């Protein structure tokens, strides 16, 4: 990995950011007193700075080393190499293969909401399962859990994660159109506009009195979701916010 080091911070170097990306930078990282621009190859840059060479594996290794266990409600999300002696229910995931390690606020809030609302035996759908984390959590809570994802590539990872955790939610490539409800709970960590479009499908997928747990919603876009759900006759039950991220619970 080739790193171009520039003196300054994101604010003072803001004007150079588009140029760095135009020249092929794959990512920028702020370090004390400098910004590191990561390039796939070394090239002549019309900017003041110096090159640093890093072995390709360093990034991944450093990231793996820094990854901490995450507590969310009754769960702790661990990487396979973490040791944990607490009483929490463990969810062990190989990180980095698909979205959903528990480190994102939205996943954490969804885990906490599942723990509050899922009862054993309920049918739970995790729409956009990614790593499978929410379907795995629902299965650990005793639900008859199912997870689908539009991206076929994540499913083998989700299945492997389920296996490591000793649960067997049904996991498959798919979207809301292909599922066969009705579900008692539908959890989805997507984004506000998509929740808006899917609102009529959410109503069809849930049983009467069923609950929607929706996150991935930026606070400024929350009205899109609320308006779409309320137009479908859903009633608000709960709202949580962490940083700029919102989680909403609605009941059909
Ligand atoms: N459920 C995990 C979590 O909470 O951490 C992963 C959430 S990740 C933000 C969103 C996932 O939804 C991605 O894996 C993406 O492929 C999937 N996705 C996006 N649009 C979708 C759709 N219309 N139907 C099903 N899955 C979708």
């Amino acid at each position: 990995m080739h790193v171009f080091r520039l003196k300054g911070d994101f604010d003072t170097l803001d004007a150079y950011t588009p140029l760095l990306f135009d020249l092929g930078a794959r990512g920028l990282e702020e370090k004390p007193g400098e910004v590191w621009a990561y390039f796939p190859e070394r090239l002549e840059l019309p900017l003041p700075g110096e090159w640093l060479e890093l072995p390709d594996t360093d990034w991944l290794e450093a990231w793996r080393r820094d990854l901490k266990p995450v507590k969310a409600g009754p769960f702790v999300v661990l990487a396979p190499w973490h040791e944990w002696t607490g009483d929490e229910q463990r969810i062990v995931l190989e990180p980095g293969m698909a979205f959903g390690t528990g480190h994102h606020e939205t996943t954490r809030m969804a885990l906490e909401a599942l723990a509050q609302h899922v009862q054993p035996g309920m049918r739970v759908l995790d729409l956009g399962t990614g790593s499978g984390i929410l379907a795995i959590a629902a299965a650990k809570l005793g639900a008859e859990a199912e997870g689908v994802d539009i991206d076929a590539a994540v499913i083998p990872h989700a299945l492997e994660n389920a296996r490591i955790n000793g649960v067997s939610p049904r996991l498959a490539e798919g979207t809301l159109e292909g599922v066969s409800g009705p579900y008692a709970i539908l959890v989805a960590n997507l984004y506000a506009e998509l929740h808006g479009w899917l609102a009529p499908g959410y109503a069809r997928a849930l049983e009467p009195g069923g609950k929607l747990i929706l996150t991935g919603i930026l606070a400024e876009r929350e009205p899109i979701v609320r308006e779409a759900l309320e137009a479908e006759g859903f009633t608000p039950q709960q709202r949580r916010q962490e940083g700029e991220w919102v989680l909403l619970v609605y009941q059909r």
Side-chain angles (χ1 to χ4, degrees):
M1 181 56 67
H2 310 273
V3 180
F4 191 69
R5 300 168 61 191
L6 298 114
K7 291 264 171 269
D9 56 29
F10 278 159
D11 283 340
T12 56
L13 294 170
D14 193 37
Y16 293 140
T17 307
L19 177 64
L20 286 164
F21 282 110
D22 281 353
L23 291 167
R26 295 282 167 81
L28 301 181
E29 194 181 0
E30 204 170 38
K31 299 273 186 185
E34 50 190 52
V35 168
W36 287 16
Y38 292 86
F39 284 86
E41 57 194 7
R42 226 171 143 132
L43 68 168
E44 278 302 312
L45 290 178
L47 295 169
E50 59 188 43
W51 285 100
L52 169 75
E53 299 301 321
L54 289 182
D56 277 349
T57 52
D58 269 11
W59 251 28
L60 187 58
E61 278 310 309
W63 175 74
R64 283 167 66 101
R65 228 182 9 252
D66 288 349
L67 211 63
K68 301 276 185 295
V70 177
K71 286 209 263 179
F75 300 108
V76 60
V77 186
L78 303 169
W81 58 88
H82 283 143
E83 284 174 17
W84 190 260
T85 52
D87 292 337
E88 290 82 1
Q89 285 215 57
R90 290 146 194 249
I91 299 178
V92 178
L93 298 177
E94 180 63 50
M97 311 304 281
F99 189 104
T101 56
H103 288 81
H104 199 272
E105 294 91 328
T106 56
T107 310
R108 245 188 356 254
M109 288 194 291
L111 286 171
E112 286 163 3
L114 283 172
Q116 266 182 285
H117 296 283
V118 171
Q119 300 292 330
M122 278 182 169
R123 283 195 73 193
V124 175
L125 175 68
D126 170 17
L127 180 67
T129 197
S131 65
I133 185 168
L134 302 180
I136 291 168
K140 289 209 167 209
L141 293 166
E144 199 186 305
E146 207 174 303
V148 293
D149 202 293
I150 200 168
D151 180 359
V154 303
I155 300 302
H157 303 300
L159 284 165
E160 174 61 7
N161 284 331
R163 191 192 62 76
I164 295 171
N165 285 280
V167 289
S168 2
R170 210 167 327 132
L171 296 164
E173 177 188 0
T175 61
L176 190 55
E177 286 82 61
V179 300
S180 48
Y183 299 95
I185 293 190
L186 189 161
V187 61
N189 181 1
L190 299 168
Y191 56 94
E193 288 79 0
L194 187 51
H195 289 313
W197 295 321
L198 293 175
Y202 289 155
R204 283 193 296 275
L206 280 175
E207 63 188 32
K211 287 181 187 162
L212 264 184
I213 299 174
L214 301 185
T215 188
I217 303 164
L218 283 169
E220 61 184 30
R221 312 241 166 95
E222 183 182 345
I224 300 172
V225 187
R226 287 192 172 277
E227 281 162 29
L229 294 180
E230 285 162 33
E232 291 297 326
F234 282 100
T235 40
Q237 296 277 302
Q238 192 182 348
R239 177 187 188 278
R240 284 203 46 199
Q241 180 165 353
E242 266 197 43
E244 58 191 339
W245 296 102
V246 170
L247 174 137
L248 298 172
V249 179
Y250 268 78
Q251 189 159 27
R252 190 181 151 208

